[in-house]
Amino acid sequence: MGKSKTKNQKKARATANHVAEETYGAVPHSFVFHRGQIGKNVGQLILDMRRVMEPYTAETLKVKKKNVLKDFVAVAGPLGVTHFLIFSKTPSSINMRLARLPKGPMLHFKVHKYSLIKDVVSSLKKHRMHEQQFTHHPLLILNNFGSDGMHIKLMATMFQNMFPSINVHRVNLNNIKRCVLLNYNPESQEIEFRHYSLKVIPVGMSRGVKKLMQEKFPNMSKFEDISELLMKGASQSESEAEQDGEHNITELPQVYSGRGNMASQQSAVRLTEIGPRMTLQLMKIQEGMGEGNVLYHAMISKTEEEIQEILNRKEAQLKEKAERQKKQEQNVAQKKAKREEHKKKSMKGIKRKCTEAEEDSEVEDPGVQDDQAAAAESDDEVEYYRQAVGEEPDEDMFPSAKKRHASQKTHGPAKKRKLSPGKSRRDKDSKSPKRDGPGGRHRDKPGRGGKKSSDGEKPFGKKMKPGGKTFRAKKSGDSDNKFGRKKKFGGNKTFVNKNKDKLIRSTGQKGKLSFKKKGAKQGFIQRKRKGKG
């Protein structure tokens, strides 16, 4: 397990992070992107320019066709982006725009010639480029930008503000690995853009000693003694044999990375081009983000009167635009007020309807049923069905009508059935068939189970067997199944009553008798006892 951090370590890390955030927020940042249709080579040029502007640029910035310049401006503010490099392509030329956020100005350049990084590196015999060079911003070098002209000074200021400033008293030389050179030609009014890699080599020693001080040790198989290498300096390449002079020899104020580069010692600074290259020409300078007045134009020159006319026209356009915006705001406010008024009226109407519905429910007759309207409508449907079809509808077709009839029947008390004056209860009972024998009187009385015998009144007109169990009327073909054959256990069985010598038939499945009811068994025992007596 690692050791826990002490309070001093946590405090030092927090301080370092705070300083890094302040330093990172103070330096300029950039976006490099394109507008419109571009080719493959121009797209690669944009990627190469992002490498030049590293590390304070968006390396993997995604650009879509539907994006407009206002989208980039809106995103640039929260991210702290200060400059835009915008490339575009026309059928005749390639253009580059350099803009300062958020209010401009914008410089329009024409790219006459350009070379990519891969083209520059492939033309060198020995190139020097590695990833550590892009961890720090490059050193900016401006040449011949002191000539007269406001556009030249403005252009130089724009280039200087693109890269972080350097304090010569506090700078660390080991952080300077690259440089960007901008050379202005007053005659052709063109700017040469170059990108170099820096290398510092100590001077004042023989080539053999320099060879020994390199990371890769030389091949000494051809020498008998090491003195031959130091004295002759054999196997030196053309680039290593390059002569250094006053133009690139300087005294180092600090210890620089590399063997032999000590402080207060003379060393030679060598530049190796890593690309890309560009030849630019300033075409015009415009206020704002490409929408303001033209401050400078390389091809067109106008008089004061023309400039004043343009300004007046611009002011009129701005005034008209402000009036349109004001009118639109008024229309939006009126629509919003109408919408709110309509909403209030709608809410009042809803509340009024709710109040009326509550009052109607309070005055409603409690005797009226809720489903009377539905039942009446169902009765109309039943009558229409009878007239249209000519038949009575099924019971399940109009359940609401059936429900209404049932509720109407149960509203009043049930009426007692009246007998005719000429008939008595005994006369009514005398109509039922009587059985001979002593057990005939006991059939009118219910058995122990509370059931009446078959000689009494039979509910619903159904025929009852001696056992008290009701059976439905036997239909023709009950003994046959749907295939026309007789059932296996559907035979008829005959039971003989010894006292009455009367046959009682029962139909049903085999093994199931009709004398299972308790009341029927009790009546049979009573008849048997009376026959013996």
Side-chain angles (χ1 to χ4, degrees):
M1 295 178 63
K3 296 182 180 180
S4 60
K5 297 179 182 179
T6 62
K7 293 182 179 181
N8 293 334
Q9 289 176 337
K10 293 180 180 179
K11 187 176 180 181
R13 174 162 295 184
T15 305
N17 292 336
H18 181 67
V19 172
E21 289 178 1
E22 288 185 350
T23 305
Y24 186 81
V27 298
H29 295 71
S30 62
F31 274 173
V32 184
F33 56 95
H34 69 275
R35 294 282 79 203
Q37 296 291 335
I38 58 172
K40 183 178 179 180
N41 293 331
V42 178
Q44 187 61 41
L45 177 63
I46 292 172
L47 298 179
D48 294 347
M49 285 301 298
R50 290 180 182 177
R51 295 284 286 175
V52 174
M53 303 302 295
E54 286 185 9
Y56 303 115
T57 188
E59 300 177 9
T60 58
L61 181 64
K62 303 297 182 183
V63 182
K64 297 182 180 180
K65 292 181 179 179
K66 63 181 180 180
N67 293 133
V68 295
L69 187 60
K70 290 183 179 180
D71 298 337
F72 296 97
V73 174
V75 174
L79 297 179
V81 177
T82 58
H83 290 79
F84 281 172
L85 281 169
I86 308 169
F87 286 85
S88 60
K89 184 178 179 181
T90 62
S92 59
S93 64
I94 298 172
N95 302 320
M96 186 188 78
R97 288 176 287 173
L98 175 61
R100 179 72 167 87
L101 294 176
K103 297 182 179 181
M106 179 178 286
L107 277 63
H108 296 253
F109 294 94
K110 183 178 180 180
V111 182
H112 289 286
K113 295 181 290 185
Y114 70 93
S115 298
L116 304 176
I117 290 179
K118 60 180 181 180
D119 300 330
V120 175
V121 171
S122 62
S123 64
L124 300 176
K125 292 183 178 180
K126 187 176 181 180
H127 65 86
R128 187 176 183 275
M129 185 173 64
H130 50 83
E131 292 297 328
Q132 294 180 356
Q133 293 176 340
F134 299 95
T135 57
H136 300 282
H137 63 89
L139 176 67
L140 178 64
I141 301 173
L142 298 177
N143 188 32
N144 291 336
F145 278 89
S147 58
D148 296 336
M150 293 299 296
H151 63 284
I152 303 296
K153 295 180 180 179
L154 180 59
M155 188 166 47
T157 305
M158 288 285 291
F159 286 134
Q160 287 178 354
N161 294 332
M162 282 176 57
F163 300 94
S165 60
I166 295 176
N167 190 344
V168 294
H169 301 287
R170 300 180 181 179
V171 66
N172 186 3
L173 297 180
N174 290 316
N175 294 337
I176 301 176
K177 300 292 184 181
R178 298 177 294 138
C179 71
V180 173
L181 174 63
L182 292 171
N183 180 35
Y184 178 71
N185 189 352
E187 296 179 358
S188 61
Q189 297 183 352
E190 293 180 352
I191 303 169
E192 298 293 335
F193 180 92
R194 297 291 185 271
H195 186 210
Y196 295 98
S197 173
L198 289 175
K199 184 180 179 181
V200 179
I201 297 175
V203 295
M205 59 182 67
S206 63
R207 298 173 184 171
V209 175
K210 292 180 182 178
K211 192 72 174 178
L212 289 175
M213 296 180 66
Q214 293 179 359
E215 296 179 359
K216 185 178 180 181
F217 199 78
N219 187 6
M220 299 178 62
S221 59
K222 297 181 181 180
F223 302 119
E224 296 180 357
D225 192 1
I226 193 174
S227 59
E228 296 182 8
L229 175 65
L230 300 177
M231 297 299 296
K232 296 180 181 180
S235 68
Q236 299 288 330
S237 63
E238 294 181 0
S239 60
E240 292 171 340
E242 179 183 356
Q243 296 293 329
D244 296 323
E246 297 180 356
H247 60 282
N248 64 339
I249 294 178
T250 184
E251 184 177 343
L252 295 178
Q254 301 175 7
V255 177
Y256 196 81
S257 60
R259 297 180 181 179
N261 295 323
M262 304 300 295
S264 302
Q265 297 292 331
Q266 289 186 347
S267 297
V269 180
R270 295 180 181 178
L271 302 179
T272 304
E273 188 175 4
I274 58 179
R277 296 179 185 176
M278 283 192 299
T279 301
L280 308 174
Q281 182 181 2
L282 179 65
M283 301 304 297
K284 67 177 180 178
I285 301 175
Q286 197 172 4
E287 289 182 349
M289 297 299 295
E291 298 178 353
N293 300 326
V294 177
L295 302 178
Y296 168 80
H297 203 288
M299 301 297 178
I300 302 173
S301 58
K302 296 182 180 181
T303 61
E304 294 293 335
E305 296 179 356
E306 294 176 347
I307 294 174
Q308 189 65 30
E309 184 180 355
I310 293 173
L311 292 176
N312 295 336
R313 192 186 310 122
K314 191 70 174 178
E315 289 179 0
Q317 291 177 357
L318 294 175
K319 187 177 180 180
E320 185 180 356
K321 184 178 179 181
E323 290 178 357
R324 287 198 306 268
Q325 290 180 352
K326 186 177 180 181
K327 188 175 180 180
Q328 289 176 357
E329 291 176 357
Q330 292 178 356
N331 294 336
V332 170
Q334 290 178 1
K335 290 180 180 179
K336 189 175 180 181
K338 289 182 180 179
R339 197 181 300 115
E340 293 293 334
E341 185 179 357
H342 179 69
K343 185 177 179 181
K344 290 180 180 179
K345 289 182 179 180
S346 301
M347 294 301 296
K348 288 181 180 179
I350 292 171
K351 291 180 180 179
R352 185 174 63 255
K353 288 183 178 180
C354 293
T355 306
E356 291 176 357
E358 291 177 358
E359 292 176 355
D360 293 343
S361 61
E362 292 176 358
V363 184
E364 187 178 0
D365 186 6
V368 179
Q369 300 297 326
D370 295 337
D371 56 345
Q372 279 187 358
E377 183 179 354
S378 182
D379 290 341
D380 297 339
E381 293 178 356
V382 171
E383 186 64 26
Y384 176 76
Y385 184 85
R386 289 196 192 99
Q387 295 177 4
V389 182
E391 297 178 358
E392 289 292 333
D394 296 338
E395 296 180 357
D396 298 336
M397 187 174 294
F398 301 102
S400 58
K402 183 179 179 181
K403 182 178 179 182
R404 184 190 178 197
H405 292 310
S407 62
Q408 288 177 357
K409 289 180 180 180
T410 56
H411 283 168
K415 295 182 179 179
K416 293 184 179 181
R417 185 176 180 181
K418 295 182 179 181
L419 298 175
S420 59
K423 295 182 181 181
S424 62
R425 181 73 177 175
R426 187 177 296 276
D427 295 337
K428 186 177 180 182
D429 294 339
S430 63
K431 289 184 179 181
S432 59
K434 294 183 180 180
R435 293 182 183 273
D436 296 335
R441 291 178 297 176
H442 295 280
R443 287 185 176 272
D444 296 336
K445 298 179 181 180
R448 291 183 183 180
K451 293 185 179 180
K452 295 182 180 181
S453 62
S454 61
D455 295 338
E457 292 181 358
K458 303 175 184 59
F460 306 105
K462 294 183 180 179
K463 186 176 180 180
M464 298 182 67
K465 293 296 178 178
K469 186 176 181 180
T470 59
F471 293 86
R472 289 178 292 181
K474 185 177 179 182
K475 298 180 182 179
S476 61
D478 281 349
S479 59
D480 298 338
N481 59 5
K482 60 183 178 179
F483 297 100
R485 292 182 295 178
K486 291 184 178 181
K487 293 184 180 179
K488 188 174 181 182
F489 303 101
N492 297 333
K493 292 190 177 181
T494 305
F495 300 91
V496 181
N497 193 342
K498 293 181 181 180
N499 296 330
K500 299 181 181 180
D501 295 331
K502 190 175 181 180
L503 297 179
I504 302 173
R505 289 188 176 273
S506 175
T507 59
Q509 295 182 358
K510 186 177 180 180
K512 292 185 179 180
L513 302 179
S514 61
F515 297 105
K516 288 186 178 182
K517 296 295 180 178
K518 191 174 181 181
K521 185 176 180 182
Q522 190 70 18
F524 181 76
I525 294 172
Q526 290 177 1
R527 289 195 299 272
K528 187 176 180 182
R529 287 179 181 175
K530 288 184 179 182
K532 287 182 180 181

